[in-house]
Amino acid sequence: MATIKKIDPQITNLKSDENLLKYFTSDFRKGYIEVTNKKFVLPQYYLEFMDKIENFEVYDTDVFVVSHPKTGTTWTQEMVWCIGNNLKFTNVEIYKRFPFLEVTPLFDFRECPELFGELSDHLLDSLEYVRKLPHPRYIKTHLPWDLLPKQIRTGERNPKIIYVYRNPKDTSVSYYYHCRAVEGFTGDFNVFMDLFLGGRLTYGPFPAHVLSIFEQKNRENVLIITYEEMKSDLRSVIKNVMNFLSKNYSDEEIEKLEDHLSFESMKNNNSVNYANTGGKNFMRAGIVGSYKNDMTPELINRFDNWIVDKFGKTEIKF
């Protein structure tokens, strides 16, 4: 088992990162910080929750879906939920049954008091909402391994952790449209790509995020899957997750789940597409390689060189 490291207390305010502050600062986000020596970027408000997340009580029966934003998280959540709950297709919104652990630290709604009357419990205090979930709990997080609750990192508790990642070119484009629609990004496409490649977006740097979980890949409670695998051979991924969660279903049941998890079905399913929370264009294209519709050849070449630089000496291939 890999050596356990405590959270590096190194915290730096990103006051000098002009583009991040210029194009992302809003009424609910006043600034950004770098956390740990890997320089993970998070909103400044996260500092008020850092200790609570570090000491969050975890159970062996918990199931976590962990990911960098826009890598197939919601798709994976629905797959994991259905497999873990006897293929129960439900109309209950996914953010209620499979909530986002640290969504509250992402948006400081204290600065927008007019919104408090409209916010649901999972937004007002997501940590408390997750704490009160019935067991087994299903939990989403975008935190890298280094910032997950201490009990997970030390191995004191061994919840199931399913990590999904995606080609960074498709990830960055999907993240761009998401941030334009949901997080108030006002810059242009090229500014966003500069921020992504520079590791100056929330939850970045992307390479450090992905590599943080690969360092733990030999743990029995960690399963790593890819968005591309889900697109090319969803049945095999379903079976892999079934085995990981100690579940067994017939071929006929798996076929029904495949249909339920198809992109069109997911996009038209109001329980997963955040239609009731203002999630405009939350599920946009769902096509592997769609970055080619947005990126110039020069930008693609820049990404390819960046991938070689960041991942070339690793087992991770895109």
Side-chain angles (χ1 to χ4, degrees):
M1 183 176 293
T3 302
I4 304 301
K5 297 180 180 179
K6 294 183 178 180
I7 284 184
D8 185 330
Q10 180 179 338
I11 298 169
T12 305
N13 287 324
L14 294 183
K15 294 181 180 179
S16 62
D17 201 322
E18 180 180 345
N19 281 342
L20 179 59
L21 295 173
K22 179 178 180 180
Y23 295 113
F24 267 103
T25 301
S26 62
D27 289 341
F28 52 75
R29 195 171 291 172
K30 297 301 182 183
Y32 295 85
I33 56 171
E34 286 178 348
V35 183
T36 86
N37 59 356
K38 295 181 181 178
K39 299 183 178 181
F40 291 113
V41 176
L42 287 161
Q44 207 168 47
Y45 190 38
Y46 168 81
L47 284 176
E48 298 190 26
F49 297 85
M50 191 170 181
D51 286 343
K52 292 180 180 178
I53 294 172
E54 170 76 351
N55 297 303
F56 185 77
E57 184 77 12
V58 176
Y59 297 88
D60 289 341
T61 55
D62 290 338
V63 179
F64 283 79
V65 163
V66 184
S67 66
H68 183 281
K70 308 312 295 180
T71 55
T73 314
T74 305
W75 194 16
T76 303
Q77 284 177 268
E78 184 68 3
M79 174 180 64
V80 170
W81 168 266
C82 292
I83 291 172
N85 288 274
N86 301 316
L87 303 189
K88 180 182 179 182
F89 304 154
T90 176
N91 292 325
V92 176
E93 292 90 345
I94 199 163
Y95 63 83
K96 293 179 180 178
R97 53 189 161 93
F98 209 136
F100 188 178
L101 179 66
E102 75 278 5
V103 67
T104 300
L106 293 182
F107 304 101
D108 189 352
F109 288 114
R110 297 174 304 177
E111 301 296 330
C112 311
E114 70 279 3
L115 293 177
F116 268 97
E118 303 174 13
L119 296 178
S120 61
D121 291 344
H122 84 288
L123 289 175
L124 284 171
D125 190 341
S126 56
L127 288 161
E128 183 65 11
Y129 183 88
V130 172
R131 188 185 70 81
K132 293 180 177 179
L133 284 176
H135 293 236
R137 302 181 304 185
Y138 290 79
I139 305 167
K140 161 190 168 181
T141 179
H142 288 316
L143 292 172
W145 178 270
D146 308 63
L147 299 178
L148 292 178
K150 176 175 61 180
Q151 290 179 329
I152 294 176
R153 302 193 324 274
T154 62
E156 178 183 349
R157 300 287 168 82
N158 290 285
K160 297 292 187 181
I161 296 174
I162 299 168
Y163 186 84
V164 58
Y165 71 101
R166 184 183 189 184
N167 185 300
K169 287 178 277 193
D170 281 331
T171 298
S172 63
V173 172
S174 182
Y175 203 12
Y176 165 74
Y177 284 106
H178 170 83
C179 288
R180 294 275 299 182
V182 177
E183 296 194 20
F185 177 69
T186 59
D188 64 25
F189 184 77
N190 289 326
V191 166
F192 191 90
M193 293 300 126
D194 286 343
L195 289 169
F196 184 92
L197 290 167
R200 287 298 182 267
L201 292 171
T202 301
Y203 293 112
F206 177 87
H209 200 294
V210 176
L211 291 168
S212 76
I213 199 74
F214 266 83
E215 292 172 356
Q216 313 300 326
K217 66 184 179 65
N218 292 326
R219 291 174 179 258
E220 292 184 358
N221 64 316
V222 172
L223 175 67
I224 301 175
I225 62 176
T226 73
Y227 181 89
E228 288 78 15
E229 290 169 346
M230 293 175 69
K231 291 293 291 186
S232 65
D233 192 354
L234 181 57
R235 177 165 293 216
S236 291
V237 177
I238 288 172
K239 289 183 176 180
N240 199 10
V241 174
M242 281 168 44
N243 291 333
F244 185 65
L245 297 180
S246 300
K247 295 288 185 176
N248 186 36
Y249 299 109
S250 67
D251 288 343
E252 183 179 356
E253 289 172 318
I254 293 172
E255 186 174 346
K256 289 180 180 178
L257 179 57
E258 283 184 281
D259 183 65
H260 176 73
L261 294 172
S262 69
F263 183 78
E264 285 305 314
S265 176
M266 291 283 289
K267 193 170 185 178
N268 294 318
N269 183 345
N270 286 343
S271 73
V272 297
N273 66 12
Y274 291 88
N276 298 325
T277 62
K280 181 182 177 182
N281 294 330
F282 190 82
M283 294 183 182
R284 190 181 58 88
I287 299 172
V288 173
S290 63
Y291 67 86
K292 296 173 185 175
N293 297 325
D294 293 270
M295 289 188 179
T296 63
E298 292 76 18
L299 182 57
I300 292 173
N301 184 62
R302 183 181 172 194
F303 259 86
D304 288 340
N305 291 333
W306 176 83
I307 289 170
V308 170
D309 179 53
K310 301 298 183 182
F311 296 100
K313 295 181 180 180
T314 74
E315 64 185 283
I316 304 168
K317 306 300 177 186
F318 298 107

